Amino acid sequence: MDRNMNGRLQQWSVFVVCLMIVLRTESFFVDITYVQSAVAKGAVCLDGSPPAYHIDKGSGAGINNWLVHVEGGGWCNNVTTCLARTKTRLGSSKLMAKQIAFSGIFSNKPQFNPDFYNWNRIKVRYCDGASFTGDIEAVDPATNLYYRGARVFIAVIEDLLAKGMKNAENAILSGCSAGGLTSILHCDNFKALLPVGTKVKCFSDAGFFINAKDVSGAPHIQDFYNDVVTTHGSAKNLPQSCTSRMKPSLCFFPQNMAQGIRTPLFIVNAAYDSWQIKNILAPGVADPHGLWHDCKTDIVKCSTTQLQTMQEFRLQFLNALSGLGSSTSRGYFINGCYAHCQTETQETWFRSDSPLLYNKTIAKAVGDWFYDRSPFQKIDCPYPCDKTCHNRVFDEQEHPLV
């Protein structure tokens, strides 16, 4: 082996060791908990397996504070795509990792998670394919698919209540991506299930999906959501304040139903949400020649025309967000990054190099809002002006639409 090659291998080895040390410092592993009691209630994953979550218990002053954070992972919109999910962790708890790493908003160290480090921190696993809204009693013997997400949500919350959440002083329902949408759709339901005296708020990370046409002019995401709601029987579990006014599938879009939420709500989102750019604005079906492929992979590779289209998408996003209203009980942190989900990883949640908006990290903005130290309703300048971004393209939660 030549000297240059040997030197590069040594450098790579040092990098890997340093990365492992950083990961070990910033994260730790938490065992899975299966909600076996949910099976008798029919509250099961797509394949009939029990729901699951991971919990790291609170301590000290945080022992009666609860953060319930819902995993992301897209949706399934018909029998074929839902059956495919049963072969993955997104449709079966049998295929979920027995341990997962906790970092960012799940961290148990004050230097990495100053406001929530000593809370009971729960990550709810996502295995129903409809942001916990479906509930169809009949099970087709040909497929053995269970569309029971709404039951799963209640069963998980009831299990947590029995484990001490019934004494909660403070509680947050949050989530990333499809889990972020869950935290919006179920915000008032969550509050209703908790004791009357509990301080309850919700926040959504990358869950504010907008009803925008794709680059071909087709209503791709609207049609997809209509199929999701129909397949899972979600209509009866969507907010009635919205379904009484419009088609149920349109109530899967936060812009149409978030205004009716009574519980305080905070939105964390990139204005150029990488999942939405890839799957709402420029899905494969609208880009048969792959002209958007490089741009979707790396925003730096976007053409002037593509960037202009993305700037127009940002304006549509901000217009949809304006429906939240101006109440200080509503908060939002909308940065100009090309990213998707920014609360579960340490570098984007709270670290010396984390993204900033008006000189605040996401963790500081959310903490100040929750504890009523100061309201936060800030929108970043357009790309590429923000130099604090971590343009994270590949996320575990990213699940492309078909």
Side-chain angles (χ1 to χ4, degrees), residues 85-101:
R85 285 172 81 97
T86 65
K87 307 296 188 292
T88 75
R89 61 178 176 81
L90 293 171
S92 174
S93 63
K94 298 173 186 174
L95 300 172
M96 293 173 183
K98 299 295 186 288
Q99 289 186 327
I100 60 169

Side-chain angles (χ1 to χ4, degrees), residues 55-331:
I55 179 170
D56 187 50
K57 292 184 178 177
S59 61
I63 202 161
N64 287 322
N65 297 338
W66 293 74
L67 171 75
V68 181
H69 186 93
V70 184
E71 180 183 30
W75 309 270
C76 60
N77 65 327
N78 54 41
V79 169
T80 303
T81 57
C82 289
L83 270 175
R85 285 172 81 97
T86 65
K87 307 296 188 292
T88 75
R89 61 178 176 81
L90 293 171
S92 174
S93 63
K94 298 173 186 174
L95 300 172
M96 293 173 183
K98 299 295 186 288
Q99 289 186 327
I100 60 169
F102 267 27
S103 66
I105 194 169
F106 298 117
S107 177
N108 61 357
K109 294 186 171 71
Q111 67 266 37
F112 294 136
N113 190 20
D115 285 309
F116 310 113
Y117 73 96
N118 60 356
W119 285 37
N120 297 279
R121 284 150 288 111
I122 297 95
K123 184 167 187 175
V124 180
R125 302 306 299 266
Y126 178 42
C127 65
D128 76 286
S131 289
F132 296 90
T133 59
D135 193 354
I136 293 178
E137 182 64 35
V139 179
D140 185 344
T143 62
N144 284 318
L145 283 170
Y146 293 81
Y147 301 110
R148 303 282 181 77
R151 294 192 204 184
V152 168
F153 181 81
I154 292 172
V156 168
I157 299 303
E158 286 178 343
D159 196 62
L160 294 172
L161 288 168
K163 289 181 176 174
M165 198 164 69
K166 64 180 183 297
N167 301 315
E169 295 169 7
N170 296 292
I172 291 175
L173 176 66
S174 63
C176 150
S177 193
L181 178 58
T182 300
S183 70
I184 299 173
L185 294 172
H186 281 289
C187 184
D188 284 342
N189 296 343
F190 179 69
K191 181 176 174 61
L193 289 166
L194 283 154
V196 174
T198 308
K199 178 176 183 173
V200 180
K201 295 189 179 184
C202 308
F203 83 82
S204 166
D205 176 12
F208 203 92
F209 300 95
I210 68 168
N211 189 6
K213 289 183 177 177
D214 65 31
V215 290
S216 75
H220 181 63
I221 189 66
Q222 181 176 305
D223 291 345
F224 183 87
Y225 275 178
N226 185 65
D227 290 344
V228 171
V229 169
T230 302
T231 297
H232 291 261
S234 300
K236 59 182 175 292
N237 296 311
L238 296 171
Q240 289 186 344
S241 59
C242 179
T243 56
S244 62
R245 296 182 291 110
M246 59 182 70
K247 190 177 176 182
S249 59
L250 293 176
C251 298
F252 222 63
F253 291 102
Q255 68 198 77
N256 293 329
M257 51 71 59
Q259 197 165 13
I261 296 172
R262 299 179 298 279
T263 308
L265 175 67
F266 195 100
I267 304 296
V268 175
N269 231 104
Y272 310 90
D273 186 295
S274 58
W275 190 95
Q276 295 196 53
I277 297 296
K278 293 175 186 178
N279 295 282
I280 294 179
L281 180 64
V285 68
D287 182 34
H289 302 295
L291 300 177
W292 277 78
H293 178 269
D294 290 348
C295 174
K296 291 192 293 184
T297 302
D298 184 352
I299 195 170
V300 175
K301 296 178 180 175
C302 295
S303 68
T304 303
T305 304
Q306 288 168 334
L307 279 176
Q308 180 57 42
T309 301
M310 288 169 67
Q311 300 293 14
E312 291 166 3
F313 180 85
R314 171 183 178 269
L315 293 177
Q316 286 185 72
F317 180 88
L318 297 182
N319 184 56
L321 188 75
S322 66
L324 283 175
S326 57
S327 167
T328 55
S329 71
R330 305 297 174 90

Side-chain angles (χ1 to χ4, degrees), residues 19-62:
L19 182 62
M20 289 175 69
I21 291 170
V22 168
L23 289 174
R24 226 178 260 133
T25 304
E26 294 185 351
S27 65
F28 61 103
F29 286 88
V30 177
D31 291 334
I32 198 166
T33 298
Y34 299 100
V35 189
Q36 297 290 356
S37 60
V39 177
K41 304 171 187 174
V44 291
C45 298
L46 282 166
D47 71 335
S49 57
Y53 59 81
H54 302 255
I55 179 170
D56 187 50
K57 292 184 178 177
S59 61

Side-chain angles (χ1 to χ4, degrees), residues 346-365:
Q346 200 59 57
E347 69 265 26
T348 46
W349 172 247
F350 189 77
R351 211 170 63 179
S352 59
D353 60 343
S354 290
L356 298 172
L357 189 51
Y358 287 79
N359 213 33
K360 279 191 182 182
T361 60
I362 295 171
K364 185 77 168 77

